[in-house]
Amino acid sequence: MKLLVILLFSGLITGCRGNSSHSLPPKLLLVSFDGFRADYLQNYEFPHLQNFIKEGVLVEHVKNVFITKTFPNHYSIVTGLYEESHGIVANSMYDVITKKHFSDLDDKDPFWWNEAVPIWVTNQLQENRSSAAAMWPGTDVPIHNTTPSYFMNYSSSVSFEERLNNITTWLINSNPPVTFATLYWEEPDASGHKYGPEDKENMYRVLKEIDDLIGELVHKLKVLGLWENLNVIITSDHGMTQCSKDRLINLDRCIDNSSYALIDLTPVAAVLPKINTTEVYNKLKVCSPHMNVYLKEDIPARFHYQHNNRIQPIILVADEGWTIVLNKSLPKCDHGYDNSLSSMHPFLAAHGPAFHKGYKHNTINSVDIYPMMCHILGLKPRPNNGTFGHTKCLLVDQWCINLPEAVGIVIGALLVLTTLTGLIIIMQNRLSVPRPFSRLQLQEDDDDPLIE
Ligand SMILES: *[C@@H]1O[C@H](CO)[C@@H](O)[C@H](O)[C@H]1NC(C)=O
Ligand SMILES: *[C@@H]1O[C@H](CO)[C@@H](O)[C@H](O)[C@H]1NC(C)=O
Ligand SMILES: *[C@@H]1O[C@H](CO)[C@@H](O)[C@H](O)[C@H]1NC(C)=O
Ligand SMILES: *[C@@H]1O[C@H](CO)[C@@H](O)[C@H](O)[C@H]1NC(C)=O
Ligand SMILES: *[C@@H]1O[C@H](CO)[C@@H](O)[C@H](O)[C@H]1NC(C)=O
Ligand SMILES: *[C@@H]1O[C@H](CO)[C@@H](O)[C@H](O)[C@H]1NC(C)=O
Ligand SMILES: *[C@@H]1O[C@H](CO)[C@@H](O)[C@H](O)[C@H]1NC(C)=O
Ligand SMILES: *[C@@H]1O[C@H](CO)[C@@H](O)[C@H](O)[C@H]1NC(C)=O
Ligand SMILES: [Zn+2]
């Protein structure tokens, strides 16, 4: 009851929050450690990250978007859109109309990014606010003619320390102030591909390094006096799954490679037939029991992966842990698979004035992160596929009832109702017993209208 009153009260206060109570605009740092599979948190030790979570919130599984690749998922986090709606549908793309190619190494043409507006652009449209990026796919591209006010050209050779130093300098020193910032790091994805998530020894070492980087991040924010007022989200784009030389699907064994162009290979192949789509489809359809073959129009609705020119006429979706290859390629521990597989999911942790302390939540969708970030920054979200309500339990200024609480409240209410009903019945019985003439009196009453 006390909790309810407090919640109601804080709701009232935040509802009419003016400029006076918060003179500084809220700030948010969004961090991605690429390929941080959700269950690494259960299977390895992360003392620094666990400390971060103890004073903040944890979402154990983030359901990401199909295909579970790096560029598409990073763009979904900052737009709240499924891939078919933001246009970055793979790390390798081809547009049949313009005949343009896109790859993660050749990604600077705004054409590919302009189907959506990322949050760093929207943030800068607000007066007196700027955005900064220590890398994140798209942040070094002028999307709708706008880059973040402060950014780095992508280069994997820039150390974490340099990225961290520069992004914190921008967060402190800039005018107009940087209120939204990103920080991106290539691990543990790179090592996950190399060793596979089941290589305990190597992954232990790599994940310890990640945890140390998180320790550095927190330390730096504390030293600079940013820790208390900055909201920090640490998340990732996707997980990783184990590969094997026994789980290969060789397309060259099924179909002549001159009958189609391969825009993307594995674990979701994008196939552009040269002459006859039906013929290519029929051959691929019977190629392997370990992959699903879809004509574009038959791609399952749950993938939200259909309505875009950059999605090719045929896609092949390998089963978990299988690699699609041509004659000479090797197995690859990978991600990109069906987004309902938990091995593909990342996690999310957050800390700061906007977030509860010590709260754990089961799951949200990666597209829900965008409306939550807009809420924290006080930005009006653009049309998106996320649901703000899914993240309310993480936020201090929101009313939220989670499922166990809701069940408790319903049971409580039923108990109260049952008790009341019981009491009423007992009282009625008591009232009716000592009044033998009640019926007579009633009859008298019944006559009253006639007398009048
Ligand atoms: C806050 O300040 C801005 C500009 O100084 C002003 O436009 C806005 O109306 C103010 N909002 C409130 C709730 O006072
Ligand atoms: C923007 O910042 C400048 C200087 O920091 C200040 O003078 C001006 O009032 C601010 N404008 C708004 C709309 O807040
Ligand atoms: C990024 O690279 C482009 C072209 O190589 C260059 O013109 C630009 O100054 C660079 N921007 C930053 C912020 O380093
Ligand atoms: C980081 O900041 C330093 C100091 O301003 C600068 O020399 C360096 O080029 C920056 N690094 C990147 C990758 O932009
Ligand atoms: C088809 O495979 C042959 C033999 O491996 C190769 O030389 C050729 O470049 C491939 N063609 C296409 C279109 O990939
Ligand atoms: C495409 O191939 C199918 C199956 O081989 C065949 O029935 C059909 O006539 C072909 N269509 C064209 C336009 O060649
Ligand atoms: C793939 O390998 C098979 C068997 O070794 C060979 O017959 C075929 O020509 C190869 N195809 C390509 C495209 O390399
Ligand atoms: C996702 O959001 C966009 C923008 O509002 C909308 O056009 C699209 O239909 C939505 N997709 C789904 C599956 O609801
Ligand atoms: Zn990635």
Side-chain angles (χ1 to χ4, degrees):
M1 196 58 204
K2 203 171 142 198
L3 186 73
L4 278 180
V5 171
I6 291 171
L7 279 173
L8 269 174
F9 213 78
S10 62
L12 283 176
I13 289 170
T14 51
C16 50
R17 178 171 66 194
N19 285 349
S20 52
S21 56
H22 283 256
S23 49
L24 293 170
K27 296 187 177 194
L28 173 63
L29 171 63
L30 174 64
V31 185
S32 168
F33 287 97
D34 199 309
F36 197 125
R37 175 169 150 159
D39 69 0
Y40 287 161
L41 262 181
Q42 280 87 57
N43 298 334
Y44 297 89
E45 281 161 34
F46 294 91
H48 291 114
L49 180 53
Q50 294 297 357
N51 276 337
F52 179 95
I53 290 166
K54 220 175 283 166
E55 297 176 41
V57 297
L58 170 68
V59 180
E60 286 170 326
H61 276 265
V62 174
K63 187 179 181 197
N64 48 355
V65 293
F66 183 81
I67 63 176
T68 52
K69 287 281 191 183
T70 298
F71 273 59
N73 271 279
H74 276 101
Y75 211 39
S76 287
I77 292 172
V78 295
T79 60
L81 292 167
Y82 298 126
E83 295 173 23
E84 64 179 4
S85 294
H86 68 49
I88 305 293
V89 303
N91 290 348
S92 296
M93 296 186 277
Y94 173 70
D95 186 78
V96 268
I97 296 164
T98 56
K99 305 217 172 353
K100 288 184 178 198
H101 289 269
F102 173 97
S103 80
D104 44 6
L105 303 173
D106 176 14
D107 66 348
K108 291 230 175 175
D109 185 344
F111 163 77
W112 297 100
W113 304 91
N114 281 346
E115 290 188 2
V117 182
I119 189 169
W120 59 80
V121 173
T122 305
N123 188 51
Q124 288 188 170
L125 297 178
Q126 299 268 315
E127 245 176 301
N128 277 1
R129 290 187 185 188
S130 51
S131 305
M135 305 188 200
W136 188 282
T139 51
D140 54 1
V141 181
I143 301 172
H144 298 284
N145 298 316
T146 310
T147 59
S149 303
Y150 310 90
F151 72 95
M152 296 171 185
N153 283 315
Y154 179 72
S155 163
S156 59
S157 60
V158 178
S159 69
F160 186 84
E161 285 69 22
E162 187 170 346
R163 298 181 200 193
L164 178 59
N165 274 332
N166 291 24
I167 200 74
T168 49
T169 303
W170 288 329
L171 274 165
I172 290 173
N173 288 338
S174 312
N175 193 16
V178 168
T179 52
F180 176 78
T182 65
L183 173 59
Y184 168 81
W185 186 239
E186 287 81 356
E187 290 281 20
D189 180 70
S191 297
H193 283 300
K194 190 168 163 193
Y195 305 114
E198 286 166 18
D199 182 340
K200 288 263 171 182
E201 202 176 313
N202 278 304
M203 289 315 290
Y204 179 86
R205 179 177 50 76
V206 171
L207 293 172
K208 184 177 182 316
E209 283 167 16
I210 302 281
D211 190 58
D212 289 342
L213 297 181
I214 292 171
E216 267 181 52
L217 167 72
V218 172
H219 179 71
K220 179 114 198 162
L221 295 178
K222 283 182 176 166
V223 167
L224 295 174
L226 284 167
W227 178 245
E228 293 303 327
N229 290 318
L230 181 67
N231 295 293
V232 181
I233 294 174
I234 300 178
T235 187
S236 183
D237 49 351
H238 53 71
M240 183 64 71
T241 198
Q242 198 61 32
C243 49
S244 162
K245 62 177 172 34
D246 302 323
R247 293 196 296 266
L248 297 179
I249 301 161
N250 184 355
L251 300 184
D252 280 336
R253 288 179 54 174
C254 308
I255 183 168
D256 184 346
N257 73 354
S258 65
S259 64
Y260 66 96
L262 207 48
I263 309 304
D264 201 2
L265 179 58
T266 189
V268 178
V271 174
L272 176 57
K274 290 216 170 126
I275 299 163
N276 189 327
T277 299
T278 313
E279 209 169 281
V280 172
Y281 172 77
N282 288 341
K283 285 189 175 149
L284 289 169
K285 184 83 190 152
V286 295
C287 187
S288 165
H290 303 291
M291 71 175 178
N292 286 305
V293 179
Y294 300 111
L295 287 169
K296 182 172 178 174
E297 53 271 28
D298 299 331
I299 297 173
R302 69 186 176 88
F303 287 147
H304 305 297
Y305 194 78
Q306 188 172 46
H307 304 290
N308 197 293
N309 288 332
R310 301 163 188 179
I311 296 168
Q312 301 303 329
I314 299 173
I315 68 164
L316 322 176
V317 183
D319 288 352
E320 184 174 14
W322 286 76
T323 309
I324 301 175
V325 298
L326 298 174
N327 258 2
K328 280 180 190 128
S329 34
L330 294 166
K332 187 172 179 242
C333 291
D334 215 346
H335 52 86
Y337 300 91
D338 190 333
N339 61 329
S340 66
L341 295 166
S342 65
S343 62
M344 291 298 107
H345 296 166
F347 76 106
L348 180 146
H351 178 280
F355 297 101
H356 282 296
K357 295 205 184 304
Y359 180 77
K360 279 198 184 165
H361 197 70
N362 190 253
T363 188
I364 61 171
N365 302 311
S366 63
V367 290
D368 300 331
I369 299 171
Y370 171 78
M372 177 178 80
M373 294 193 300
C374 288
H375 173 81
I376 291 170
L377 291 171
L379 301 174
K380 184 169 178 287
R382 296 183 54 88
N384 67 83
N385 305 120
T387 304
F388 175 60
H390 292 168
T391 60
K392 280 186 173 178
C393 289
L394 309 178
L395 299 169
V396 288
D397 68 355
Q398 293 299 306
W399 236 101
C400 138
I401 302 173
N402 56 28
L403 190 62
E405 275 177 25
V407 170
I409 287 170
V410 169
I411 291 176
L414 282 177
L415 276 177
V416 169
L417 274 178
T418 325
T419 317
L420 276 179
T421 318
L423 279 176
I424 288 168
I425 290 172
I426 290 170
M427 291 209 348
Q428 274 184 341
N429 286 344
R430 279 212 189 144
L431 284 178
S432 52
V433 172
R435 295 181 67 189
F437 302 114
S438 59
R439 192 174 149 72
L440 271 179
Q441 281 168 355
L442 266 178
Q443 277 173 338
E444 280 170 20
D445 286 347
D446 283 350
D447 291 343
D448 280 351
L450 288 180
I451 294 167
E452 279 173 25

